[in-house]
Amino acid sequence: MSDAKAREWIEAIHQLDLPSRVRVMNVCGGHERTLSMAGIRSVLPKNVEIIPGPGCPVCVCPEEDLYLAIQIALHRDATVMTFGDMLRVPTNVPKREVRTLEQARAAGARVVPIASPSEVWDAAMANPSERFVFFAAGFETTMAPVAARIAEGLPENVDLLISGRRTWPAVATLLAGDRAAFDGLIAPGHVAAVMGPEEWLFVPETHGIPSAVSGFRPDQLLSALYSVLRQLVEKTPVLENCYAHAVPAGGNAQARRLLDTVFEIVDAPWRGIGTLPESGYGLRPAYAARDARVLHADLADESRKRMGEMPAGCGCADVVLGRIYPTECALYGTTCVPRSPVGPCMVSDEGACRIWWAGGIRSPEDLRTLHA
Amino acid sequence: MHDAERITLAHGNGGRRTRELIDEIFATRLGGPDLDTEVDAARLRLPGDDWAVTVDGFTVEPIEFPGGDIGALAVHGTVNDLSVSGAEPVHLSVSAFLEEGLEFEVLVRLVDSFARAAKEAGVTVVAGDTKVVPRGHGGGAYFTTTGLGRIVRGDLSAKSVRPGDVILVSGPVGDHGIAVMLARESFDLRGDVRSDCASVLPLCKTVWDVPGLRFLRDPTRGGIATVAHELSRAARATVRLREAEIPVRDPVRGVCEMLGYDPYYLACEGRVVAVVAPDEADVVLERWRNADGGADARLIGRVDEGPARVVLETSIGGSRILDELEDDPLPRIC
């Protein structure tokens, strides 16, 4: 049923009279996964490019936050709990030192990968005499449930290391230059479901760039892509909500209220990219006594060489910003592969490099030869 | 022996307890005219055919899972390796590594299950060994089985696969991998996924005489994607699998979507992949569909001229490359 719909959208896209080159950006690892796994690029007209953009919170998590989490695990009597993707992301420390949370765990530190924030609460309740640090990196979709749990009540033995980021400020940064990096935007369905689709109105209204909010099935992505391309042809840029059954106007008011209760909006660093205005979630002063950044400030080392940067030679920052495709990074598939990743984009399930690798793409050639 | 309810290191000391373990647990269940527990080596009278021999170790965790256990798996794994090689399984040997603390109740269930699977496949156990390892040095029970089979169809090989051949699978893929994972992890996922753990001997036997049959394989670790890679390498050709035709049960697909697994890489323990000349595909499909465990058999792909690689034709009409398995998402599944 949805496959038949997908084929109809593909047909409709092929009927459009498109310019010679069209670049459409997506900003969600989930979208990129569907695009790659369903082979959507292989069925599109050759002049339509879909560029993976900032869609991976683990990939932009500041190197200094990860370094701090590792130091806490190594030097404090506490268990660091974090989403599984973070464990293998490398920091920029000399090879002989502990570079990842996984290595910290192997060295005897208590590091526990989790899939859901409730695991932190469960562990803390079950072990009231032990101390826990919840290291939470994520976009709005992750930070909303984190905020909800914190607002419900934070156990006495849990401290917080928050690296939450907002999606739209990164896109706003991409559009701030003279020349837009893309011609159309597929807006993230889950983020819009929480924050409301209105956050993305600036893309068509300020920048004149066609946009559509999309769901995650192949047919849903193709319908959003069709919307963006049709707007482009008709020169009528708007924000179309192609995922309306899941994305109501205004988003989820309750989730937004909880986010606002627990967090304040701060200027925040993105790894390898720099500080983006109003792009991060910081704990409100009421939680300062539980902020691991404050509690363990002595473990941070701001004199470290290459602090905050991507590993040497790693193109992750450019991949995250959609400036290059994963296959255009010199390390992709050479020194950087999933079993020994150099950059975070090859570690996280939401990283474009990891997704492209899982989808079997080894070179730009692969995309071309598969083309229908 | 029944003064203890668990395996102790004394069961591995070679003395009275070892003898009791072998006699009371293993020999009573696996014994027959060909098994003499008093000798160091079995003496077999084999007719002058060609024989196939295979050995396989089993370390699955947990040792009991929905749809099977390590006892049944240890028989099926070896029986299946013989079956896909065109050999009728005849004899088995078994080596059991038991962890100190293993409950007798569990061990009895495993050996009973082993005996049932052996009986069903028509193999007799002719030799065995037990060892006990200290607590913490083994996952409850490990088994190694060696199988001896009489070759009925001797020319099955990935090397005989050629462009134009088609690829068939006997049933839904990924059940075993997901069943074991759900049994192991504390995910809040309650699936009714059962392992497909079974003998594929009936499925193989029914097609051994099809002249255009080139190759059979049970897609265990690495799943059908790994079998497809083996084929593309051996035939130096492009293997194309059609996503819409590959049977995957809904709960398996659901778990895969949630955890980001590709079902084509997940292990099966009771399925067969066949490569057959295109004009005989229907014969194989029909025989499978009439055999035990073959009701959902499907034609899932073909071998094409082209570079040695595996291409998945997606259900929306796109294509992507199915690469060789990089990270093992699930260690110790068999």
Side-chain angles (χ1 to χ4, degrees):
Chain A
M1 170 70 179
S2 61
D3 287 343
K5 267 194 196 157
R7 286 167 190 267
E8 283 170 26
W9 288 119
I10 293 165
E11 183 56 36
I13 288 169
H14 277 270
Q15 299 301 321
L16 292 170
D17 186 17
L18 293 165
S20 60
R21 187 183 184 202
V22 182
R23 296 158 305 163
V24 179
M25 181 172 272
N26 79 81
V27 294
C28 169
H31 282 166
E32 186 51 40
R33 183 161 285 276
T34 303
L35 289 165
S36 293
M37 293 303 153
I40 287 178
R41 288 188 177 87
S42 71
V43 294
L44 296 176
K46 286 190 169 59
N47 46 335
V48 177
E49 293 177 45
I50 309 187
I51 304 169
C56 169
V58 166
C59 302
V60 299
C61 176
E63 192 263 358
E64 52 270 33
D65 288 6
L66 186 53
Y67 176 84
L68 180 59
I70 294 169
Q71 302 312 310
I72 293 171
L74 289 173
H75 302 297
R76 296 289 190 261
D77 186 17
T79 301
V80 172
M81 299 185 81
T82 192
F83 298 108
D85 279 13
M86 288 305 304
L87 260 66
R88 299 182 65 210
V89 179
T91 50
N92 301 332
V93 298
K95 278 232 159 77
R96 62 181 184 280
E97 290 177 28
V98 173
R99 316 185 83 195
T100 65
L101 283 165
E102 191 176 54
Q103 288 174 5
R105 184 170 64 169
R110 296 199 301 276
V111 176
V112 177
I114 57 166
S116 145
S118 61
E119 291 173 54
V120 178
W121 270 252
D122 292 347
M125 308 286 209
N127 305 281
S129 61
E130 289 177 27
R131 196 105 212 126
F132 294 84
V133 175
F134 180 20
F135 175 27
F139 285 141
E140 298 89 335
T141 45
T142 302
M143 298 321 287
V146 169
R149 289 310 306 248
I150 295 172
E152 270 172 33
L154 189 60
E156 287 302 316
N157 53 339
V158 176
D159 299 322
L160 301 164
L161 179 55
I162 300 294
S163 307
R165 293 293 177 271
R166 305 165 83 202
T167 317
W168 72 260
V171 174
T173 302
L174 291 177
L175 292 175
D178 297 339
R179 230 160 35 98
F182 51 89
D183 311 305
L185 177 76
I186 294 178
H190 288 158
V191 173
V194 176
M195 306 306 293
E198 299 82 2
E199 275 194 342
W200 300 94
L201 278 171
F202 77 96
V203 179
E205 290 180 0
T206 309
H207 301 280
I209 291 179
S211 307
V213 177
S214 177
F216 295 82
R217 288 201 318 259
D219 61 307
Q220 293 170 331
L221 269 162
L222 284 160
S223 79
L225 182 62
Y226 175 78
S227 165
V228 166
L229 295 175
R230 200 203 57 224
Q231 294 174 42
L232 198 67
V233 171
E234 295 174 356
K235 300 189 170 60
T236 52
V238 292
L239 175 74
E240 188 168 358
N241 185 351
C242 296
Y243 195 35
H245 66 274
V247 179
N252 180 333
Q254 162 89 344
R256 279 191 293 119
R257 194 178 53 74
L258 289 168
L259 274 168
D260 189 52
T261 306
V262 176
F263 300 123
E264 57 190 3
I265 304 301
V266 296
D267 297 347
W270 292 50
R271 187 172 183 178
I273 295 169
T275 295
L276 305 186
E278 299 185 9
S279 67
Y281 290 105
L283 282 170
R284 287 205 176 271
Y287 296 97
R290 313 296 285 284
D291 189 341
R293 269 178 226 286
V294 179
L295 294 167
H296 303 288
D298 58 310
L299 291 175
D301 177 2
E302 303 201 351
S303 69
R304 276 189 313 123
K305 215 176 143 194
R306 297 185 50 80
M307 189 185 90
E309 295 176 32
M310 288 296 179
C314 167
C316 276
D318 285 335
V319 169
V320 166
L321 294 176
R323 289 184 181 135
I324 61 170
Y325 284 121
T327 45
E328 291 173 311
C329 173
L331 304 188
Y332 182 83
T334 54
T335 54
C336 185
V337 290
R339 96 190 89 144
S340 57
V342 175
C345 296
M346 190 59 96
V347 177
S348 172
D349 283 339
E350 293 182 284
C353 298
R354 176 62 181 249
I355 294 169
W356 278 38
W357 191 268
I361 302 165
R362 296 292 176 270
S363 68
E365 196 65 16
D366 286 336
L367 281 181
R368 278 197 291 277
T369 57
L370 283 173
H371 227 286
Chain B
M1 187 179 80
H2 296 291
D3 52 340
E5 291 181 346
R6 293 170 183 273
I7 291 289
T8 64
L9 288 174
H11 286 106
N13 68 9
R16 181 172 67 88
R17 292 240 166 175
T18 305
R19 183 170 51 74
E20 286 175 354
L21 172 72
I22 292 169
D23 288 347
E24 295 181 23
I25 306 271
F26 286 91
T28 53
R29 290 173 175 78
L30 306 180
D34 296 319
L35 181 66
D36 182 347
T37 59
E38 301 297 319
V39 295
D40 283 324
R43 182 185 171 129
L44 303 173
R45 282 202 186 80
L46 303 177
D49 297 299
D50 281 344
W51 290 81
V53 64
T54 182
V55 62
D56 210 344
F58 300 87
T59 65
V60 64
E61 194 236 323
I63 55 179
E64 296 181 290
F65 47 84
D69 57 49
I70 197 169
L73 202 60
V75 175
H76 292 146
T78 293
V79 161
N80 291 352
D81 284 350
L82 291 172
S83 305
V84 297
S85 309
E88 177 118 46
V90 178
H91 294 309
L92 275 187
S93 77
V94 55
S95 177
F97 297 85
L98 308 176
E99 186 184 3
E100 178 190 9
L102 176 69
E103 293 167 11
F104 272 109
E105 200 185 320
V106 176
L107 180 60
V108 164
R109 280 205 300 273
L110 298 179
V111 181
D112 277 339
S113 171
F114 190 106
R116 262 197 309 279
K119 189 173 172 212
E120 185 193 302
V123 288
T124 53
V125 177
V126 294
D129 183 49
T130 60
K131 292 284 184 293
V132 177
V133 297
R135 193 186 293 273
H137 288 246
Y142 297 153
F143 288 97
T144 296
T145 51
T146 302
L148 196 58
R150 193 173 51 84
I151 292 179
V152 177
R153 174 76 189 260
D155 63 345
L156 300 178
S157 160
K159 292 197 182 73
S160 11
V161 172
R162 59 202 72 164
D165 289 350
V166 295
I167 302 164
L168 287 66
V169 69
S170 66
V173 301
D175 293 9
H176 179 74
I178 292 296
V180 168
M181 191 203 60
L182 290 180
R184 186 190 301 175
E185 304 289 346
S186 58
F187 292 116
D188 291 338
L189 301 169
R190 227 158 273 136
D192 46 325
V193 182
R194 293 171 63 79
S195 167
D196 53 329
C197 178
S199 162
V200 299
L201 177 60
L203 291 165
C204 294
K205 226 169 160 170
T206 187
V207 296
W208 280 338
D209 66 344
V210 175
L213 182 68
R214 316 252 197 246
F215 171 83
L216 292 171
R217 173 73 82 234
D218 52 331
T220 55
R221 277 175 300 179
I224 55 168
T226 301
V227 176
H229 270 279
E230 193 184 345
L231 290 172
S232 82
R233 267 198 310 273
R236 295 201 182 85
T238 300
V239 169
R240 294 184 174 276
L241 299 179
R242 301 186 61 195
E243 186 171 44
E245 299 301 324
I246 301 172
V248 182
R249 291 189 205 281
D250 285 343
V252 171
R253 198 179 290 285
V255 174
C256 283
E257 276 169 14
M258 195 172 304
L259 300 177
Y261 293 158
D262 218 330
Y264 317 120
Y265 294 96
L266 292 176
C268 311
E269 286 292 344
R271 308 284 178 233
V272 201
V273 170
V275 181
V276 64
D279 53 343
E280 287 179 288
D282 288 342
V283 178
V284 172
L285 277 180
E286 197 193 319
R287 291 196 194 171
W288 272 2
R289 285 173 181 159
N290 292 319
D292 271 356
D296 298 321
R298 296 278 271 277
L299 193 159
I300 58 166
R302 65 186 188 279
V303 181
D304 266 0
E305 301 277 1
R309 65 181 184 185
V310 179
V311 175
L312 183 77
E313 296 177 349
T314 65
S315 48
I316 62 156
S319 306
R320 72 174 160 104
I321 293 173
L322 271 189
D323 196 35
E324 281 196 276
L325 184 62
E326 182 74 26
D327 300 343
D328 190 353
L330 303 165
R332 284 185 57 204
I333 50 166
C334 60

